[in-house]
Amino acid sequence: MNNIESIKGKLIVSCQALPHEPLHSSFIMGRMALAAKEGGAHGIRANTKEDIQEIHTQVDLPVIGIVKRDYEDSKVYITPTMKEIDELMEVGVEIIALDATINTRPGGKTLTEFYKEIREKYPDQLLMADCSTVEEMLYADELGFDFIGTTLVGYTEQSKGLKIEHNDFEIIREVLAKAKHPVIAEGNINTPEKVKRVIELGAYSVVVGSIITRPQLITKSFADVLE
């Protein structure tokens, strides 16, 4: 396992492509991670054990691992059950990230119940809370998550209309002032200026995804101005 300290104050690049996306392929995500490393990334965030296995063959950077999976009885899709945790433990990742919103997990399980279950089975695994509101972030901090993430701000019912960059990253500043655990800034941080700013404010690290690794979305931003 890589030294997690190496991501402090540095860039983590999210290398993900879902089944409906053009770059969906473990081989491609491995090369994407290599390109990110060459560009100066100090960590990778990745989805599925297959992609992570391939990424491990290409780069020796710390990995934040997730498994995105939909369940009919829950809105939670980022590492929602123990099945996904077990899959990530098989390939070994420095940090496992999971949905830490107020939404109920599959089978009606609460975040507190799920968190305790993970800690009992894997007491030494570092965990990151993907949250959407300040309240959720501070609750995850109290529970004992090792890293608090702003990943889902604006992506849940309870955070609709919230923007991570609003009022000079007010959400991040508030959480930093109150949380005991390090905060990883993530979600719509799509310019070098925003990256620099969140680190200046005190974020432990910053994750950037789509604007680096989803060419269809990058292309759209250029094409749209001509429509």
Side-chain angles (χ1 to χ4, degrees):
M1 288 292 211
N2 293 292
N3 176 16
I4 209 65
E5 284 286 305
S6 63
I7 64 169
K8 191 172 186 340
K10 301 294 184 185
L11 175 69
I12 297 164
V13 172
S14 182
C15 299
Q16 298 179 45
L18 298 171
H20 65 275
E21 295 184 86
L23 298 192
H24 179 64
S25 150
S26 296
F27 173 82
I28 293 173
M29 287 305 109
R31 293 306 190 272
M32 194 68 92
L34 184 57
K37 183 185 177 180
E38 284 188 11
H42 282 250
I44 302 295
R45 179 166 161 129
N47 171 39
T48 76
K49 72 175 189 180
E50 294 78 14
D51 282 12
I52 291 164
Q53 262 172 329
E54 179 61 28
I55 286 166
H56 280 154
T57 71
Q58 298 300 313
V59 299
D60 56 349
L61 298 175
V63 172
I64 299 173
I66 62 171
V67 178
K68 286 181 175 172
R69 192 167 283 145
D70 291 317
Y71 286 83
E72 280 183 12
D73 63 341
S74 176
K75 292 177 187 167
V76 170
Y77 63 93
I78 299 175
T79 322
T81 75
M82 211 64 198
K83 175 178 161 64
E84 290 77 36
I85 299 280
D86 290 339
E87 287 172 19
L88 291 166
M89 291 302 295
E90 281 174 40
V91 287
V93 291
E94 281 69 24
I95 300 170
I96 289 178
L98 56 135
D99 180 307
T101 66
I102 56 167
N103 298 333
T104 309
R105 268 118 275 276
K109 199 169 282 181
T110 66
L111 174 62
T112 306
E113 289 168 332
F114 187 38
Y115 177 82
K116 285 179 178 162
E117 194 182 350
I118 300 166
R119 284 294 192 215
E120 273 168 28
K121 193 167 182 183
Y122 303 114
D124 300 324
Q125 176 61 47
L126 294 175
L127 301 175
M128 173 175 169
D130 286 350
C131 304
S132 71
T133 66
V134 170
E135 291 73 25
E136 289 169 351
M137 292 172 210
L138 295 176
Y139 186 71
D141 184 56
E142 279 302 309
L143 272 180
F145 276 88
D146 303 284
F147 296 94
I148 311 303
T150 59
T151 320
L152 293 170
V153 172
Y155 293 100
T156 60
E157 279 296 316
Q158 60 272 25
S159 68
K160 209 172 247 178
L162 285 183
K163 285 195 162 49
I164 193 71
E165 68 270 32
H166 177 70
N167 198 9
D168 188 26
F169 298 98
E170 186 176 13
I171 290 171
I172 289 177
R173 285 187 285 117
E174 186 177 344
V175 173
L176 283 167
K178 296 176 180 175
K180 301 186 287 284
H181 294 93
V183 173
I184 294 179
E186 179 175 8
N188 201 40
I189 296 169
N190 52 13
T191 67
E193 292 74 24
K194 289 183 191 178
V195 165
K196 187 165 184 276
R197 184 64 182 142
V198 295
I199 295 297
E200 281 172 358
L201 291 172
Y204 186 85
S205 195
V206 55
V207 178
V208 177
S210 300
I211 200 65
I212 295 176
T213 56
R214 284 197 160 103
Q216 71 275 25
L217 296 182
I218 305 163
T219 304
K220 192 175 187 310
S221 69
F222 284 88
D224 281 356
V225 299
L226 303 180
E227 291 306 320

